[in-house]
Amino acid sequence: MNQKQKLAFGLWLLTVGASAQTGVWRQDSLQEVVVTGTGTQHLLRTAPVQTEVITRRDLEQYGGRSIEEILGGLSASFDFSEDDMGSQMQMNGLGNAYILVLVDGKRLHGDNGGENDLGQIDPARIERIEIVKGAASALYGSDAIAGVINIITRRQESNLQIENDTRGGSYGDLRQHNGVGLSIGPVRSFTNFHFRRTDGWRNFEMEAPERYGGRIITNTTNQTVSHNQLWQLAERLSMEPAKGMEVYAEGMLYHKHIFHPRGGDSEVAHYYDLSYDDAAAAAGWSWNTKGGNILTADVTWNRHAYYYDYTSLYGVIDETDPSPYAAIYFDGDRILQSDQRRTMVQLKGVFALPRQQRLSLGYDYRYDWLKAPRRVADGTATDWTQALYAQDEWSPLENLNITAGLRLDHNQQFGLHLTPKLSAMWGLGDVTLRASWSQGFKSPTPKELHYRYMSNMAGLCLGNTDLKPQTSNYYSLSAEYRVSRLSISLTGYYNQVDNMINLVSIPLSEAPGEYVVQYHPQLVQQYKNLEDAYTTGLDFNVKWNVGKQLQIGASYSYLQARGSVYDEDTETLRRITINGTAHHKGSVNATWNHRFSRDYRLGIGIYGRASTRRYYEKHGDGKGYQLWRLSTTHDLGHGKLLTWRAEAGVDNIFNYVDDTPHGRHLGTTSAGTTVYGSLIIRFNHGKKIKYNQHYSSLTTNYYEEN
């Protein structure tokens, strides 16, 4: 950013105040119940662990097409750099591998190298989103060093429920959601279908692939965001055989296809498309006893398979080449790149104890299996981890809560590791003070240990069997002030990660010879443990309910994320900024709602978000940006059986486009000004369903919409 842009960004931040949470805040939000931080119910204002909530009304007003767009637009803590391999999400400076994404309390399964495919989450099904930062709970363990995002879905509302949500927009954007819910006696069924596609777009005609030394190529047809489409079919069956008890079974099929353009410079032309085939199945039981105790048991199985679908002839048969990698593929060939499967068993009990205590006890078992014939030396790799945990919530006073936990992890390769957690909440009238300290533990994944792959943008990337487990110490302090119309909070945090695993450039001579023969790379990177790394920052939050119709919110996040790498040439430690991080990010919004008649209510929202430049060690920094969005909602009627709703808006109003050559880690992949519109129809017939509040599913609607 130049000096004028920096000055404008600073004035923008001063104008909006600052906040790190979501936009629309209602007076009744004080009574919202959150569950993610401790795994048990707490009012938002008295939750022992600081929790951000994006409500259903926030989601409806914003009108985001994907979970990436929603989180990036409504919280300053997130960054995304979407590409063919995934979302490349960051939360307060740490990437996908350190962020645990839950859907109704269950882990989202994707690439266990850290690039979860968030396309598996249907935005039309989200009831609310709860965000907890840092390894602040003993319940979650591995993958939660940066924090937890819990996507809580809407449940069936009546005996017969049919819903349709159709959204269209620029660049062939289409999202389709269909749901059918049926309840017969104690048995309930909900079937969900989700479809999404886009033609993709190209922000710049030039490309700088690291595979070819980063030189600029001008005749490329590769897109900033590739043409892609996905579909998902999910089913959930549940039954309440007795009061307070639920058993369920659910399954999901998912397919995503990424289309690569043909032609252009032959050096960077693609000869194949990408396909992802996922599946999941789960079953579980929960019992909320008369004494207030809760017992749960869950078993889940997930599969994530990744293929090359060849669209033209690729490879040359050379009888003089002794390499085992010499191969030729034809149009129509489908070649497996990796098949990742995971099985999990989770047992948990929550017990009401004397002296205002609640004790959570649990056992987790996780088994990972990776098959990658051309990317893992022996073709397959496995790993398992089991854990025991205990967490005690004690409220010696009405306005004081102390939560302490211990988690014992046992990993197949790295043995036992104990991590403690401690948090406290103290209410002083309209002010709430919170403090947390927690340790985290994360063993290397099978991909980080064994996998190898070639990327046009990153070069040859290699696993490393000499990796050590990662550990962390997370500290946070926060103060929150809430009155009937105003909410202000300030949170400071420090997250020290020892032995952080990161891709580090190595000399070509250090790469195994067979990989060099196979890939002919210009750049080689390998997973290595950094000597040390840390993230520290401030999140400052302001929300103001100006009146019954107007709400104003804003967010600001300051971040410093650094690490140390041992430089063998100089035999010294070299300080680096963690890739993809920005020092300053912010968002602002104002929403206005007015009911003109019984059958029509109008909502208007203005949203802005900005970031200073994002730092990258090797590939050039991503540019800073400001993006503004206008959204409108139109409630067209609320009949006895049918409800109708329309949404329309304009994103990136001022048409900002980052024209950095493709492959140089853009600050934002926004396509410029785009428009969207959607129509939502819901049909409900029969009695309204009442649910038992089970902690295992975390899906009960805890509050009513206004």
Side-chain angles (χ1 to χ4, degrees):
M1 298 176 78
N2 58 35
Q3 289 300 114
K4 290 183 178 179
Q5 290 174 319
K6 291 180 179 178
L7 178 60
F9 182 74
L11 292 174
W12 182 85
L13 290 175
L14 290 173
T15 301
V16 303
S19 162
Q21 292 189 357
T22 62
V24 179
W25 179 77
R26 308 186 309 275
Q27 186 171 350
D28 69 341
S29 67
L30 295 175
Q31 305 305 317
E32 290 172 6
V33 175
V34 295
V35 294
T36 305
T38 60
T40 54
Q41 295 182 38
H42 289 276
L43 294 176
L44 178 60
R45 61 184 173 85
T46 60
V49 178
Q50 183 78 24
T51 305
E52 297 182 22
V53 178
I54 299 176
T55 69
R56 181 173 175 181
R57 181 162 296 191
D58 298 334
L59 297 165
E60 291 177 344
Q61 184 67 66
Y62 187 73
R65 69 180 294 269
S66 65
I67 190 65
E68 294 94 336
E69 195 171 282
I70 291 167
L71 291 174
L74 293 177
S75 176
S77 299
F78 292 94
D79 276 312
F80 294 91
S81 300
E82 295 181 68
D83 62 17
D84 290 350
M85 303 309 297
S87 302
Q88 294 192 29
M89 173 172 55
Q90 281 194 340
M91 182 167 75
N92 283 1
L94 295 177
N96 292 69
Y98 304 95
I99 305 169
L100 178 59
V101 181
L102 305 175
V103 179
D104 293 333
K106 297 183 180 65
R107 292 170 180 257
L108 180 72
H109 180 59
D111 183 346
N112 66 23
E115 295 295 335
N116 283 325
D117 184 359
L118 300 182
Q120 297 179 51
I121 301 171
D122 182 358
R125 287 292 301 154
I126 300 176
E127 173 69 25
R128 71 182 186 278
I129 303 172
E130 296 182 4
I131 302 164
V132 175
K133 297 174 185 175
S137 176
L139 277 61
Y140 303 117
S142 178
D143 304 333
I145 286 178
V148 180
I149 303 169
N150 192 11
I151 311 293
I152 299 173
T153 62
R154 292 170 34 243
R155 300 193 75 171
Q156 185 180 339
E157 299 172 3
S158 62
N159 289 343
L160 176 60
Q161 178 178 332
I162 303 173
E163 54 189 31
N164 174 270
D165 185 338
T166 302
R167 184 187 194 275
S170 304
Y171 296 99
D173 177 50
L174 176 65
R175 190 187 75 193
Q176 179 73 34
H177 158 79
N178 295 284
V180 178
L182 183 64
S183 176
I184 302 175
V187 180
R188 301 188 181 103
S189 164
F190 194 89
T191 306
N192 183 75
F193 177 76
H194 172 215
F195 175 82
R196 197 176 83 196
R197 74 170 306 279
T198 178
D199 290 335
W201 57 84
R202 184 178 60 165
N203 287 347
F204 203 52
E205 68 277 4
M206 295 183 182
E207 185 169 357
E210 290 298 334
R211 184 172 184 174
Y212 304 108
R215 65 183 178 83
I216 301 297
I217 295 173
T218 58
N219 187 30
T220 178
T221 58
N222 288 329
Q223 296 176 289
T224 304
V225 172
S226 296
H227 173 201
N228 66 83
Q229 67 180 35
L230 63 85
W231 61 261
Q232 180 187 53
L233 180 64
E235 168 68 23
R236 189 180 199 274
L237 287 170
S238 65
M239 181 175 66
E240 295 187 358
K243 187 175 181 180
M245 186 179 294
E246 181 190 50
V247 293
Y248 75 90
E250 58 188 21
M252 182 272 290
L253 295 174
Y254 172 88
H255 174 77
K256 182 176 182 178
H257 195 96
I258 297 174
F259 301 88
H260 285 146
R262 314 291 175 249
D265 192 296
S266 61
E267 289 184 300
V268 294
H270 283 286
Y271 301 91
Y272 53 84
D273 293 338
L274 304 179
S275 286
Y276 299 86
D277 286 318
D278 293 7
W285 166 88
S286 62
W287 183 28
N288 191 342
T289 70
K290 292 182 180 180
N293 301 322
I294 300 166
L295 303 175
T296 65
D298 297 275
V299 179
T300 59
W301 174 86
N302 301 88
R303 177 184 187 240
H304 175 78
Y306 159 48
Y307 298 89
Y308 283 176
D309 288 337
Y310 283 88
T311 55
S312 60
L313 179 68
Y314 177 77
V316 176
I317 297 177
D318 184 354
E319 295 180 355
T320 66
D321 183 2
S323 167
Y325 305 107
I328 187 168
Y329 303 109
F330 298 92
D331 184 6
D333 285 348
R334 164 172 274 207
I335 306 301
L336 175 70
Q337 304 302 307
S338 69
D339 184 353
Q340 302 170 71
R341 304 184 187 187
R342 184 190 65 202
T343 302
M344 290 196 68
V345 177
Q346 297 174 296
L347 306 174
K348 181 183 175 184
V350 180
F351 305 97
L353 301 181
R355 301 183 184 275
Q356 301 299 312
Q357 293 186 78
R358 278 190 293 184
L359 177 65
S360 297
L361 298 174
Y363 170 79
D364 293 344
Y365 174 80
R366 171 175 172 170
Y367 177 79
D368 284 303
W369 179 84
L370 167 65
K371 178 182 179 181
R374 294 178 56 82
R375 296 171 182 257
V376 172
D378 296 326
T380 61
T382 62
D383 185 60
W384 58 257
T385 298
Q386 58 183 340
L388 291 169
Y389 63 84
Q391 183 164 280
D392 183 44
E393 302 172 52
W394 179 39
S395 299
L397 302 173
E398 183 179 354
N399 61 342
L400 177 65
N401 179 279
I402 299 173
T403 299
L406 281 174
R407 184 180 183 93
L408 179 64
D409 287 280
H410 179 208
N411 180 262
Q412 175 185 6
Q413 300 181 60
F414 300 100
L416 295 169
H417 197 93
L418 185 68
T419 51
K421 327 277 180 175
L422 181 65
S423 63
M425 184 282 301
W426 187 19
L428 299 171
D430 296 328
V431 177
T432 302
L433 304 177
R434 295 181 177 89
S436 293
W437 166 70
S438 58
Q439 291 187 343
F441 169 78
K442 180 174 172 57
S443 59
T445 67
K447 269 204 164 184
E448 292 166 338
L449 292 167
H450 305 288
Y451 203 68
R452 64 176 184 265
Y453 64 94
M454 186 69 198
S455 166
N456 278 345
M457 304 311 158
L460 174 61
C461 301
L462 302 173
N464 184 356
T465 55
D466 294 327
L467 291 173
K468 302 174 184 177
Q470 302 161 96
T471 58
S472 70
N473 275 279
Y474 177 80
Y475 307 86
S476 71
L477 288 171
S478 69
E480 185 176 30
Y481 173 72
R482 286 179 180 264
V483 291
S484 61
R485 293 182 178 272
L486 181 66
S487 171
I488 303 173
S489 68
L490 175 67
T491 302
Y493 62 89
Y494 176 78
N495 202 351
Q496 179 181 344
V497 183
D498 292 325
N499 294 317
M500 174 183 277
I501 295 174
N502 199 16
L503 280 170
V504 175
S505 297
I506 63 173
L508 182 63
S509 59
E510 293 184 15
E514 65 270 23
Y515 298 170
V516 175
V517 170
Q518 178 185 3
Y519 295 111
H520 306 290
Q522 299 292 319
L523 174 69
V524 181
Q525 299 188 87
Q526 187 175 36
Y527 286 106
K528 297 237 179 179
N529 292 109
L530 301 185
E531 298 299 323
D532 62 70
Y534 73 88
T535 64
T536 186
L538 288 172
D539 292 337
F540 181 41
N541 313 319
V542 176
K543 299 181 189 178
W544 185 22
N545 191 11
V546 181
K548 293 183 178 180
Q549 297 178 331
L550 178 63
Q551 298 87 27
I552 296 174
S555 69
Y556 167 71
S557 179
Y558 169 76
L559 171 67
Q560 184 75 255
R562 302 296 298 272
S564 296
V565 178
Y566 182 73
D567 191 322
E568 294 183 356
D569 294 333
T570 62
E571 297 184 346
T572 60
L573 292 179
R574 179 167 53 89
R575 300 294 288 174
I576 63 172
T577 299
I578 294 177
N579 279 345
T581 59
H583 289 319
H584 306 280
K585 297 191 298 295
S587 65
V588 59
N589 62 75
T591 59
W592 178 80
N593 286 269
H594 180 72
R595 182 170 291 281
F596 288 91
S597 67
R598 182 180 179 276
D599 294 325
Y600 181 67
R601 185 178 70 174
L602 172 66
I604 300 175
I606 296 289
Y607 300 85
R609 56 190 174 98
S611 173
T612 55
R613 65 175 176 168
R614 300 180 66 186
Y615 291 91
Y616 287 89
E617 182 188 9
K618 289 290 184 183
H619 309 112
D621 296 335
K623 294 181 179 180
Y625 60 85
Q626 291 186 36
L627 302 176
W628 292 88
R629 178 188 186 97
L630 169 68
S631 69
T632 65
T633 60
H634 310 265
D635 290 311
L636 304 174
H638 192 93
K640 198 170 185 179
L641 299 178
L642 276 176
T643 59
W644 301 71
R645 178 186 180 88
E647 301 173 355
V650 182
D651 197 16
N652 197 351
I653 297 172
F654 300 109
N655 197 34
Y656 173 77
V657 176
D658 188 337
D659 58 2
T660 308
H662 184 47
R664 289 299 178 93
H665 293 272
L666 307 176
T668 172
T669 58
S670 172
T673 301
T674 58
V675 298
Y676 71 90
S678 62
L679 179 64
I680 301 102
I681 303 172
R682 291 194 174 96
F683 172 85
N684 281 283
H685 178 72
K687 294 181 180 180
K688 187 174 182 178
I689 295 176
K690 295 183 179 180
Y691 289 93
N692 294 314
Q693 295 185 354
H694 299 311
Y695 297 107
S696 59
S697 62
L698 304 179
T699 56
T700 306
N701 298 331
Y702 295 110
Y703 57 90
E704 297 292 335
E705 292 289 339
N706 285 341

